[in-house]
Amino acid sequence: MKAPDRVVAAGADLLAEAVAGQAVEVERVAWRPPMAGTEADLAVVAADPRRHDANRRAVEAMLGVTAHLVDVAPAAEVVGLERGQFLHAGPPITWDRASGPLRGALLGGAVLEGLAEDPDSAMALLERGDGVSLEPCHHRGAVGPMAGVVTPSMWMFVLEDPATGRRTHCTLNEGLGKVLRYGAYGPEVLERLRWMSEVLGPLLQAAVRQTGPVDVTGILTQMLQMGDEAHNRNRAGTLMLLRDLSPAMVTSGFDGADVAEALRFMGGNDHFFLNLAMPACKLALDAGRDVPGSTMVVAMARNGTDFGIQVSGTGDEWFTGPAQLADGLFLGDFGPEDANPDIGDSAITETAGIGGFAMATAPAIVRFVGGSVPDALATTRRMHEITLAENPRWSVPVLDFQGVPTGIDVTRVCRTGILPQINTGMAGKEAGVGQVGAGLVTPPAEIFPQALARLAELARRASA
């Protein structure tokens, strides 16, 4: 009997060591059992005759979208918000379960809209719930970073897929530190928001309408090759947006001092483009929704209390678990005890294949989120194990221009136990504090078996 030239070993090292001891080359591969309790559902979903074609259609629909910035306008106009209505990040939640940063943002939003004179009276108003309502941004074709609170007077970017006319929306980015989206609501926060509604929003509207549609998908393609991963690093994207809009801003007829202040604000805020990257990703993922039999994740979002996902083949149903604490670096004297669990709709970037999934393209970001360059390369490679496709439009130079891993597959997550990697900011757990750091986080593992069980139930029903 001839000895093998090479052996592949999975699982325990005992066999591999014994074979290697006999001078046979051994390739050790990582292997782990499926998530506990998912075996039966995995078998049902794997045998669903609709699955392969459904996932192909969902992925093709997602990759076929291009996002163009076509307008900037108040939320009351573009998503139909009325007085007393608030949008927030993540799956649905009520005031009594809202986290500190979400509460802080709602308090500031209530004062901004004139529903209350000060944060104390806003607190009483929101506790009573008289004339106010909370609703996820995702339910109105929008996404919101961190707390994601949107009120009727806030101005929003409007993105459109020219092939279908489908639109998505996001507020304008306020910058870092003490800002509403991190739960701060002091006088300086409200003053900045009023300036954004009275000056920045109308100025950007005039510039976009004069310039014509701005190709946001094209900017994302370029920025990924310039060291941005489009979640925690958006420096190149912000500068390219300024390149496109600043001539029209200067010639808009607005007061020169206002134009100069707006250009300083945008140029000094490296995260300004994030609020365009997010709705661009949502626009693509929404095209992949509602395909029966598809196991592709179309949204990951957090409200600071719960982490939720939505899946193409299960409609608008949320699968939720407790939001996790991020692991990373803290600002100033803040520490882990000051941080709130994960919050924000910005994980829509990872859902589309950028952000944490494109870490390899942004080595400059790793220190900001507490990682290393080898970690970044390994993370992008690992995410290919739980995704359905590569995005040929968004590629990673250091990986020989391989496309980013795209289309998270619930069955692959449950089969491998590998969880999606998310780059995130960290909000203070107390309302009013603002940002305390940035880091890395994953979803709670149990939400993927929940989604898988629902997919299996629907597969059984379809075959009955």
Side-chain angles (χ1 to χ4, degrees), residues 188-208:
E188 72 276 23
V189 175
L190 299 180
E191 181 181 356
R192 185 188 307 112
L193 287 170
R194 293 188 179 106
W195 172 80
M196 292 173 70
S197 292
E198 294 167 3
V199 177
L200 182 63
L203 176 56
L204 288 173
Q205 180 187 67
V208 171

Side-chain angles (χ1 to χ4, degrees), residues 357-370:
F357 280 45
M359 280 282 281
T361 204
I365 194 65
V366 296
R367 287 189 174 181
F368 181 60
V369 295

Side-chain angles (χ1 to χ4, degrees), residues 101-418:
L102 178 53
R103 287 190 173 201
L106 291 168
L107 296 177
V111 176
L112 179 71
E113 294 298 319
L115 298 171
E117 293 185 358
D118 53 50
D120 288 339
S121 55
M123 176 81 78
L125 173 73
L126 287 159
E127 286 177 345
R128 292 195 308 273
D130 294 339
V132 297
S133 63
L134 309 183
E135 183 181 5
C137 291
H138 271 287
H139 292 188
R140 296 260 188 148
V143 277
M146 301 310 290
V149 167
V150 183
T151 64
S153 69
M154 291 182 180
W155 284 60
M156 306 187 81
F157 290 122
V158 182
L159 273 64
E160 181 178 288
D161 175 17
T164 63
R166 184 184 292 111
R167 290 187 168 191
T168 53
H169 314 84
C170 188
T171 52
L172 314 182
N173 193 285
E174 310 163 73
L176 296 176
K178 284 190 173 296
V179 290
L180 192 82
R181 74 178 190 279
Y182 278 97
Y185 52 78
E188 72 276 23
V189 175
L190 299 180
E191 181 181 356
R192 185 188 307 112
L193 287 170
R194 293 188 179 106
W195 172 80
M196 292 173 70
S197 292
E198 294 167 3
V199 177
L200 182 63
L203 176 56
L204 288 173
Q205 180 187 67
V208 171
R209 291 180 177 181
Q210 180 181 329
T211 301
V214 176
D215 184 357
V216 175
T217 300
I219 293 177
L220 278 164
T221 300
Q222 296 175 68
M223 63 193 282
L224 286 174
Q225 303 204 8
M226 297 168 68
D228 285 354
E229 40 73 88
H231 189 168
N232 261 335
R233 182 179 168 92
N234 288 271
R235 179 168 295 181
T238 298
L239 292 175
M240 282 187 277
L241 180 68
L242 271 173
R243 175 200 61 186
D244 288 348
L245 293 183
S246 56
M249 292 171 70
V250 171
T251 60
S252 63
F254 278 63
D255 181 84
D258 287 340
V259 173
E261 180 58 25
L263 290 171
R264 273 194 296 270
F265 178 79
M266 294 169 62
N269 175 9
D270 289 344
H271 284 66
F272 196 79
F273 189 81
L274 172 62
N275 291 38
L276 286 162
M278 289 173 55
C281 292
K282 178 171 174 57
L283 193 59
L285 289 158
D286 278 359
R289 284 180 176 268
D290 302 322
V291 182
S294 172
T295 57
M296 188 178 80
V297 176
V298 293
M300 296 194 293
R302 317 84 98 194
N303 56 36
T305 302
D306 307 313
F307 191 119
I309 61 170
Q310 293 179 310
V311 180
S312 175
T314 58
D316 293 334
E317 186 173 355
W318 288 97
F319 305 96
T320 63
Q324 310 290 295
L325 282 168
D327 181 17
L329 301 179
F330 292 88
L331 304 175
D333 296 330
F334 291 119
E337 67 280 2
D338 300 307
N340 193 78
D342 196 21
I343 186 170
D345 286 335
S346 55
I348 196 72
T349 56
E350 279 80 9
T351 318
I354 52 179
F357 280 45
M359 280 282 281
T361 204
I365 194 65
V366 296
R367 287 189 174 181
F368 181 60
V369 295
S372 67
V373 172
D375 290 340
L377 296 172
T379 296
T380 295
R381 291 191 177 109
R382 189 169 66 253
M383 293 302 100
H384 281 283
E385 297 188 40
I386 59 170
T387 47
L388 293 164
E390 294 177 3
N391 188 329
R393 185 180 284 126
W394 297 340
S395 61
V396 182
V398 74
L399 295 181
D400 200 21
F401 294 94
Q402 182 181 25
V404 296
T406 299
I408 300 167
D409 182 359
V410 169
T411 63
R412 295 182 190 219
V413 173
C414 291
R415 200 176 67 213
T416 64
I418 297 172

